Structures are given as structure tokens and as C-alpha cells.
Amino acid sequence: SQIIEEAQKWIGVREQGKNDGPEVREWLRRVNRQPGNAWCAAFAWCMLDDACKALKIDNTFPPIAGAWLMLNQAKKMKAWTDIPGQGFIFGIDHGTNQAGARIGHVGIVTSVTEGKEDEIQTCEANTNSKGSREGDGVYAKTRKKSEITLGYFDPGRILFQ
């Protein structure tokens, strides 16, 4: 739940320019990226790192700025699942860009609604009210589980071994 607490502090932050602004620059800096880069994964990693600091535990997950890089690293570390949970980082596949590189989006699951609605509540960066992967800020969102095409990264599988 600490990662959720850290992420929700930033709901309402908006970009100042394209993929820029003081908070965005800081999150990108922490994962060794320049302003102007997509920042959903940078935000998710920083929230994980901030949660680790608050809990006084080592963050053994490397700084990662790309959604696909984060997802692949989580799989390598055997921390990937198809079942959502609070504090997990979700992944959505958005195909490939014009250069043929995989593009995606990640965010943090804040709660899971079971039953008829089959929804998750999230805190996401570099999105907008419509759920874009290239948005303008940090938002609290509701998504259908069926939107989460790549599964979930469970940080607890790495941090609490």
C-alpha cells in the first residue's frame, strides 16, 4: 500500500510543455532520461523507489524508463502475473511505433473491484482523462481489467524475498 500512498500524492500534477515540467523532469532524471521522453514508467519506478525509501528497504528493481523494459525486467525477475493486486504495476500493449519499436503504458493499481464491473482503480502518469498513453499528467482512473493486455508486475515478489 505504500506505493499507492506515494503515487496518489501526485494526482493532479500536469505537464508544462510536452513531457516536461518540474516533477516530470525529476522523475525522468531519476531513471536517467531527458525531458521530452514518455514518463509513465519513470513515474511508476519512482513511486516504487519512494515506497522503498519510506519503508526503509532496498529497491532491488533497476531504474527503468520504458514500459516494455519494465515489464520485461519484471518477467526476468519472476515478478509478473496475470492477476491484479493493490500496489501492482499494470501493463498495456499499444503496438509498435513508426520505427517498429514496441510501445506501451504502465500505471499503478490502487484497488481491484471484483464481480460484475470487473474493474481496477489506478494512478497513472503521462495519461489523460480518456486514458491515453501520451497524456498530460497524473490521474486517478478506472479501467476494465480487459484493457490490461500485458499483465501485472508484483513488486512484493522482488522486495520481500
Side-chain angles (χ1 to χ4, degrees):
S1 63
Q2 189 67 43
I3 190 172
I4 296 168
E5 186 177 321
E6 297 298 331
Q8 289 178 328
K9 292 177 189 176
W10 301 102
I11 293 171
V13 167
R14 298 295 181 259
E15 293 178 352
Q16 296 172 13
K18 178 70 172 150
N19 291 335
D20 199 3
E23 296 90 352
V24 175
R25 278 193 298 275
E26 177 59 14
W27 294 321
L28 287 168
R29 182 199 64 76
R30 289 175 61 187
V31 294
N32 304 308
R33 290 286 189 262
Q34 297 297 314
N37 282 286
W39 53 283
C40 63
F43 174 82
W45 184 86
C46 289
M47 297 308 101
L48 174 62
D49 192 53
D50 291 348
C52 288
K53 288 176 184 167
L55 295 170
K56 297 180 177 20
I57 60 173
D58 290 332
N59 181 3
T60 57
F61 196 79
I64 293 178
W68 276 91
L69 293 172
M70 178 176 277
L71 307 179
N72 288 330
Q73 182 64 35
K75 286 178 183 178
K76 286 180 190 173
M77 297 176 85
K78 301 193 182 338
W80 200 250
T81 180
D82 292 326
I83 301 167
Q86 286 186 310
F88 290 15
I89 297 172
F90 70 82
I92 300 174
D93 182 1
H94 285 283
T96 56
N97 64 16
Q98 292 176 343
R102 300 293 309 183
I103 53 175
H105 179 69
V106 298
I108 298 165
V109 177
T110 58
S111 69
V112 180
T113 305
E114 298 297 334
K116 189 176 182 180
E117 296 301 317
D118 201 32
E119 295 175 335
I120 60 172
Q121 306 301 311
T122 68
C123 181
E124 308 174 31
N126 200 21
T127 193
N128 59 24
S129 60
K130 294 180 183 178
S132 168
R133 64 163 290 279
E134 266 296 330
D136 65 357
V138 180
Y139 288 78
K141 303 209 44 66
T142 300
R143 289 192 180 267
K144 297 282 186 196
K145 289 181 194 173
S146 59
E147 291 180 68
I148 311 307
T149 54
L150 296 174
Y152 305 87
F153 163 28
D154 175 1
R157 291 189 186 182
I158 297 168
L159 302 174
F160 300 109
Q161 292 183 0

